[in-house]
């Protein structure tokens, strides 16, 4: 009798639905188990771990810019952004790409998942959700917030930010920082996912566009409602070249550390799915030769254990 | 770079094909793979784009000519330097003061005049809350001015405009003289157009303003409607950081190099109680705005680091050839 398991899979069939009713997952035939584990199990593990790490990252990036601003507002509690910007952050501007990641992302296609069953070990060994990875994403968030805040406030400091001499005020700094946050967080998503359909493009670039549309619409509401956001994009920020140049600089600088890490990791310490992806790319360009084939040998401990067991069996047979 | 995934299904209609692809997670997709050539290309491209932008921005910032003069300590006469706060609060002493500014290079019109305040937290939450937008638009007709307390009324009558922001209005004035002729300072159109037209009422006049026991700053002419009180409008657009500049006016004529501008100012505003600083700034402007080297320096820094990184990466990549598919590096085999 099973006392403990990670998940329960029930097979519906001639003997009834009892197993199905008390299981986590139900399939119709036993042979579907292979696909359930190797394809969907691997995808699901990767998607969930990536989604959680990314969620922490994007909220840390947003929250820490607010925190650094407080140091400059004598910790009085004045938020750096207008209230409605903050309410809409997690709902409109950054939620859809995460959903696209959590529902659709595939690092390796289904066919290759079945061909290289060793990929499943990534889940068993908990490689994609280890503490170093989680803390790495969190520190990426804090670092991004530091870069965004200090680069924005030092570029748009107290001088005039337009040709007509208007000096910077609270509204402009808020919009500049928030735009950088939205751009950086969404472009980080674009850098992290491995699977671009029209849905991902629509969600990622659409979220960024939605922010600007929101600014225009909210800014056109009467000033008693929109307070500090009244006509801020249309009148103040959009004609200012400094604003756009600052956004470009801040977004690229924020993504640079992660991109650097990815570049060196993929080249010098690739993970199993990186190898398979590279294999696939070269396979689609040239014929796969047997020498460059990714071998599907077993892990070292499994090999050692198997040799141990074979030796025991040989001894017992003698 | 991308591995493309596409499937051919011939027996169904196009909308059910789309639905089938969606449910089977088989949508046509691009799967980008990060190869070394793409990495090197990206970093090089970043460097090649960013360094010129940085150099152009830096050059523009250097072409802006700025004169900054701190005047809050020098404008107090010697005998009062020991007790600045009582000096500034004494309304019987005339607070006029003269500064001499030397123009370093030729400054083209329009030259913008700003006053800069340091260590002044105009972004403090309680301060920013202390205003009433309805009253600014409709004047005495709006009844609920509770957000302005305690500066909502004095001597039993309501104040228009109410609140701490208006009450602490900056009231130093500046007059500029060059070679014994006064420079004309244009004090119109210094506030944002949307503020003038939509946030401050054209029929609202200051009433019972700055009449209480504590004087926070300047007073307003009760015959001028709020939408024309540009100093107030500029002041009420609160600043982002504790060090900020606000526009005072503009000079519409050129200033030549080595001109000496005499500034006659009235040092009325009290920043001495909290260790604030007051500075007068004259600045030209470029297509990028005022003088700030940070953007240019940052662009050049990021651009050159990208190029260095791409060279380092290329070097390491060429020096360490690795056959792909080596499983000895997998984490469970190490």
């Amino acid at each position: 009798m099973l006392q403990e398991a990670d998940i329960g899979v029930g097979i519906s069939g001639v003997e009834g639905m009892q197993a199905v009713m008390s299981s986590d997952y139900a399939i119709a035939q036993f042979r579907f188990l292979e696909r359930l584990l190797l394809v969907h199990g691997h995808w699901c593990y990767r998607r969930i771990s990536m989604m959680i790490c990314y969620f922490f990252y994007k909220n840390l990036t947003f929250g820490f810019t607010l925190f650094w601003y407080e140091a400059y507002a004598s910790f009085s509690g004045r938020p750096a952004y207008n209230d409605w910007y903050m309410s809409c952050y997690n709902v409109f501007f950054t939620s859809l790409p995460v959903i696209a990641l959590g529902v659709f992302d595939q690092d390796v296609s289904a066919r290759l998942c079945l061909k290289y069953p060793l990929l499943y070990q990534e889940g068993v060994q908990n490689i994609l959700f280890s503490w170093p990875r989680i803390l790495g994403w969190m520190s990426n968030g804090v670092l991004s917030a530091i870069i965004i805040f200090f680069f924005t406030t030092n570029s748009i400091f107290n001088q005039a930010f337009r040709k007509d001499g208007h000096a910077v005020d609270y509204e402009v700094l808020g919009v500049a920082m928030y735009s950088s946050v939205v751009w950086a967080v969404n472009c980080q998503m674009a850098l992290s996912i491995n699977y671009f359909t029209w849905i991902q493009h629509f969600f990622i670039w659409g979220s960024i566009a939605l922010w600007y549309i929101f600014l225009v619409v909210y800014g056109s509401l009467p000033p008693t409602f929109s307070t500090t956001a009244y006509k801020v994009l249309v009148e103040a920020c959009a004609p200012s070249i400094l604003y756009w140049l600052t956004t470009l600089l801040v977004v690229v600088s924020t993504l640079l550390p992660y991109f650097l890490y990815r570049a060196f990791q993929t080249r010098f310490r690739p993970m199993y799915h990186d190898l398979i992806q590279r294999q696939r790319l070269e396979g689609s360009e040239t014929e796969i030769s047997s020498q460059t084939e990714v071998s599907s040998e077993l892990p070292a401990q499994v090999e050692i254990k198997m040799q141990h067991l074979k030796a025991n069996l040989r001894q017992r047979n003698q | 770079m991308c591995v493309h995934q596409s499937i051919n299904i011939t027996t169904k209609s196009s909308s059910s094909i789309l639905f089938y692809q969606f449910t089977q997670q088989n949508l046509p997709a691009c799967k980008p793979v990060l190869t070394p050539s793409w990495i090197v290309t990206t970093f090089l491209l970043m460097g090649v784009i960013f360094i010129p932008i940085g150099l152009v921005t830096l050059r523009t910032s250097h072409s802006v000519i700025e004169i900054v003069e701190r005047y809050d300590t020098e404008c107090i006469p010697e005998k009062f330097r020991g007790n600045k706060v009582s000096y500034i609060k004494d309304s019987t002493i005339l607070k006029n003061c003269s500064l001499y500014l030397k123009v370093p290079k030729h400054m083209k019109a329009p030259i913008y005049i700003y006053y800069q305040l340091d260590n002044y937290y105009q972004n403090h939450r309680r301060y920013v809350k202390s205003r009433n937008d309805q009253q600014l638009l409709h004047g005495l007709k709006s009844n609920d001015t509770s957000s302005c307390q305690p500066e909502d009324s004095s001597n039993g009558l309501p104040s228009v405009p109410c609140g701490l922001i208006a009450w602490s209005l900056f009231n130093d004035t500046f007059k500029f003289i060059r070679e014994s002729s006064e420079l004309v300072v244009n004090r119109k159109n210094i506030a944002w157009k949307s503020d003038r037209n939509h946030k401050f009422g054209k029929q609202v006049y200051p009433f019972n303003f700055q009449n209480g026991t504590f004087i926070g700053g300047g007073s307003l002419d009760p015959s001028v409607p709020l939408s024309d009180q540009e100093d107030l409008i500029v002041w009420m657009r609160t600043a982002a950081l504790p060090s900020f500049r606000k526009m005072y006016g503009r000079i519409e004529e050129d200033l030549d190099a080595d001109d000496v501008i005499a500034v006659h100012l009235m040092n009325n505003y009290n920043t001495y109680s909290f260790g604030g600083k007051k500075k007068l700034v004259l600045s030209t402007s470029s297509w990028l705005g005022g003088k700030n080297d940070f953007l240019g320096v940052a662009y050049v820094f990021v651009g050159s680091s990208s190029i260095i990184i791409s060279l380092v990466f290329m070097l390491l990549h060429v020096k360490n050839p690795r056959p792909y598919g080596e499983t000895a590096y997998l984490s469970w085999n190490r």
Side-chain angles (χ1 to χ4, degrees):
Chain A
M1 183 82 197
L2 275 176
Q3 301 290 324
E4 199 179 289
D6 287 330
I7 59 162
V9 180
I11 303 178
S12 60
V14 187
E15 275 138 22
M17 303 293 272
Q18 274 225 315
V20 164
M21 283 192 289
S22 54
S23 66
D24 301 314
Y25 294 91
I27 47 182
Q29 296 185 19
F30 191 78
R31 64 188 174 95
F32 293 161
L33 189 66
E34 182 191 20
R35 209 181 154 83
L36 179 70
L37 282 181
L38 296 181
V39 177
H40 296 285
H42 171 70
W43 282 352
C44 210
Y45 171 69
R46 194 173 179 285
R47 287 168 183 167
I48 290 182
S49 50
M50 182 69 203
M51 201 183 84
I52 295 174
C53 290
Y54 180 81
F55 237 101
F56 275 108
Y57 159 80
K58 82 170 161 84
N59 280 302
L60 276 170
T61 305
F62 176 66
F64 264 89
T65 52
L66 284 167
F67 177 70
W68 303 128
Y69 183 73
E70 286 312 305
Y72 286 75
S74 76
F75 288 103
S76 59
R78 167 100 162 126
Y81 315 116
N82 188 300
D83 292 334
W84 278 99
Y85 302 174
M86 298 198 292
S87 312
C88 294
Y89 178 74
N90 272 319
V91 178
F92 292 122
F93 309 130
T94 55
S95 62
L96 293 173
V98 193
I99 293 176
L101 164 73
V103 175
F104 295 112
D105 194 34
Q106 296 174 19
D107 56 343
V108 170
S109 70
R111 184 181 68 85
L112 291 173
C113 277
L114 292 169
K115 186 174 173 193
Y116 299 108
L118 216 47
L119 207 51
Y120 191 66
Q121 281 290 320
E122 279 191 354
V124 175
Q125 311 261 335
N126 200 19
I127 290 167
L128 297 178
F129 201 59
S130 54
W131 273 112
R133 205 159 238 257
I134 299 173
L135 292 173
W137 273 103
M138 289 189 177
S139 44
N140 188 15
V142 176
L143 184 67
S144 303
I146 292 175
I147 294 177
I148 292 176
F149 180 75
F150 286 103
F151 274 35
T152 314
T153 46
N154 280 309
S155 304
I156 306 186
F157 188 44
N158 56 8
Q159 83 278 14
F161 69 105
R162 288 161 43 130
K163 188 156 178 39
D164 60 9
H166 279 290
V168 182
D169 49 40
Y170 170 80
E171 287 90 343
V172 171
L173 190 73
V175 168
M177 262 205 305
Y178 197 94
S179 308
S180 304
V181 169
V182 167
W183 268 101
V185 156
N186 282 311
C187 289
Q188 172 78 59
M189 170 62 79
L191 276 184
S192 312
I193 58 180
N194 307 57
Y195 187 71
F196 277 96
T197 61
W198 65 269
I199 297 178
Q200 268 86 344
H201 281 298
F202 178 65
F203 281 172
I204 293 176
W205 314 121
S207 297
I208 298 174
L210 192 62
W211 157 241
Y212 287 111
I213 296 173
F214 168 80
L215 262 185
V216 171
V217 169
Y218 182 47
S220 59
L221 295 175
T224 40
F225 184 70
S226 59
T227 58
T228 55
Y230 186 67
K231 292 217 183 342
V232 67
L233 182 71
V234 175
E235 188 192 23
C237 287
S240 159
I241 304 180
L242 182 66
Y243 164 74
W244 296 107
L245 281 179
T246 307
T247 308
L248 175 65
L249 171 74
V250 169
V251 170
V252 172
S253 314
T254 313
L255 298 173
L256 205 58
Y258 174 76
F259 189 65
L260 196 62
Y261 164 76
R262 267 289 292 274
F264 280 88
Q265 182 256 313
T266 336
R267 170 63 183 85
F268 297 105
R269 279 208 184 299
M271 297 211 266
Y272 201 48
H273 58 259
D274 293 318
L275 298 172
I276 297 177
Q277 283 173 347
R278 193 92 53 75
Q279 178 79 78
R280 178 79 176 7
L281 181 73
E282 269 139 39
S284 67
E285 292 167 32
T286 61
E287 289 285 321
I288 299 179
S289 71
S290 54
Q291 284 132 330
T292 56
E293 173 101 20
V294 177
S295 79
S296 29
E297 58 186 51
L298 297 165
Q301 303 116 300
V302 179
E303 281 280 6
I304 292 169
K305 186 81 182 170
M306 273 187 61
Q307 282 167 11
H308 207 67
L309 290 169
K310 278 187 192 155
N312 277 353
L313 194 64
R314 232 177 288 132
Q315 264 190 350
R316 208 174 316 152
N317 281 346
Q318 283 166 0
Chain B
M1 172 182 184
C2 276
V3 178
H4 284 276
Q5 172 181 292
S6 47
I7 308 93
N8 298 322
I9 306 164
T10 48
T11 52
K12 304 191 188 203
S13 67
S14 68
S15 62
S16 64
I17 289 177
L18 207 60
F19 184 70
Y20 179 78
Q21 286 176 336
F22 182 79
T23 50
Q24 295 298 317
Q25 304 192 49
N26 253 340
L27 288 164
C30 161
K31 300 189 206 185
V33 180
L34 206 58
T35 54
S37 56
W38 267 102
I39 295 171
V40 171
T41 319
T42 313
F43 278 117
L44 273 178
L45 209 68
M46 252 178 15
V48 160
I49 292 178
F50 272 37
I51 292 183
I53 295 182
L55 292 172
V56 167
T57 328
L58 209 53
R59 194 161 160 274
T60 313
S61 170
H62 282 313
S63 74
V64 171
I65 302 141
E66 195 183 67
I67 308 171
V68 180
E69 186 75 30
R70 184 178 171 187
Y71 66 87
D72 58 329
T73 30
E74 6 174 299
C75 271
I76 297 192
E78 284 286 346
K79 51 186 173 166
F80 295 107
R81 293 259 172 103
N83 201 342
K84 299 182 185 142
V85 179
S86 62
Y87 165 77
I88 201 78
K89 284 187 181 173
D90 193 344
S91 49
T92 56
I93 314 176
L94 261 182
K95 310 271 186 352
N96 48 357
C97 172
S98 292
L99 292 174
Y100 295 93
L101 308 172
K102 186 139 183 274
V103 178
K105 279 195 260 187
H106 177 79
M107 290 170 85
K108 271 186 64 147
I111 301 168
Y112 298 95
I113 306 166
Y114 306 94
Y115 53 90
Q116 179 175 330
L117 289 164
D118 289 342
N119 200 29
Y120 194 112
Y121 285 86
Q122 236 198 1
N123 53 9
H124 193 287
R125 198 180 68 90
R126 274 305 271 121
Y127 181 89
V128 168
K129 260 179 59 159
S130 183
R131 66 189 282 162
N132 191 307
D133 292 327
Q134 288 284 1
Q135 198 204 49
L136 293 171
L137 273 174
H138 304 296
L140 287 165
K141 290 192 213 121
S142 63
N143 291 329
D144 178 22
T145 56
S146 51
S147 57
C148 288
Q149 279 177 352
E151 294 301 328
D152 57 343
S153 59
S154 61
N155 307 326
L157 293 167
S159 303
V160 174
C162 69
L164 270 178
I165 311 182
W167 177 80
S168 59
L169 177 64
F170 188 77
N171 59 351
D172 283 2
T173 54
F174 308 97
K175 244 200 294 237
F176 298 86
I177 316 258
R178 174 175 64 164
E179 288 165 357
S180 67
S181 68
E182 191 176 328
L183 288 168
V184 174
V185 176
N186 182 356
R187 308 220 45 220
K188 291 259 153 267
N189 288 336
I190 52 177
W192 289 100
K193 192 150 159 278
S194 62
D195 279 2
R196 277 203 313 272
N197 295 343
H198 298 283
K199 284 194 190 165
F200 291 80
K202 296 192 173 58
Q203 307 295 331
V204 180
Y205 294 87
F207 175 74
N208 196 25
F209 183 67
Q210 210 72 258
N211 262 350
T213 33
F214 296 108
I215 307 286
S219 48
L220 294 171
D221 183 355
S223 61
V224 176
L226 286 190
S227 60
D228 290 334
Q229 303 263 16
E230 303 229 15
D231 283 332
L232 177 73
I233 299 175
V234 165
W235 182 254
M236 286 200 73
R237 189 134 167 144
T238 49
L241 300 169
S243 161
F244 60 88
R245 289 182 190 171
K246 290 197 184 286
M247 207 186 317
Y248 180 80
R250 25 184 123 76
I251 297 175
E252 306 280 10
E253 32 187 300
D254 289 2
L255 292 177
D256 301 310
D258 298 328
D259 269 356
V260 175
I261 312 283
V263 184
H264 296 316
L265 62 95
M266 299 293 285
N267 183 21
N268 295 321
Y269 199 64
N270 178 12
T271 53
Y272 304 98
S273 311
F274 51 87
K277 298 184 204 161
K278 291 192 284 189
K279 296 178 186 167
L280 174 66
V281 179
L282 268 79
S283 171
T284 53
S285 83
S286 61
W287 54 271
L288 211 53
K291 193 180 194 63
N292 193 338
D293 290 342
F294 182 82
L295 195 72
V297 169
Y299 263 106
V300 169
F301 177 72
V302 171
S304 34
S305 336
S306 308
I307 293 197
I308 293 174
I309 291 172
S310 77
L311 290 172
V312 167
F313 187 85
M314 213 159 31
L315 211 69
L316 286 173
H317 174 63
V318 162
K319 267 190 63 188
N320 297 348
R322 251 185 55 159
Y324 297 139
E326 250 185 50
T327 50
Y329 283 88
L330 287 172
S331 59
W332 52 81
N333 273 344
R334 258 182 255 139

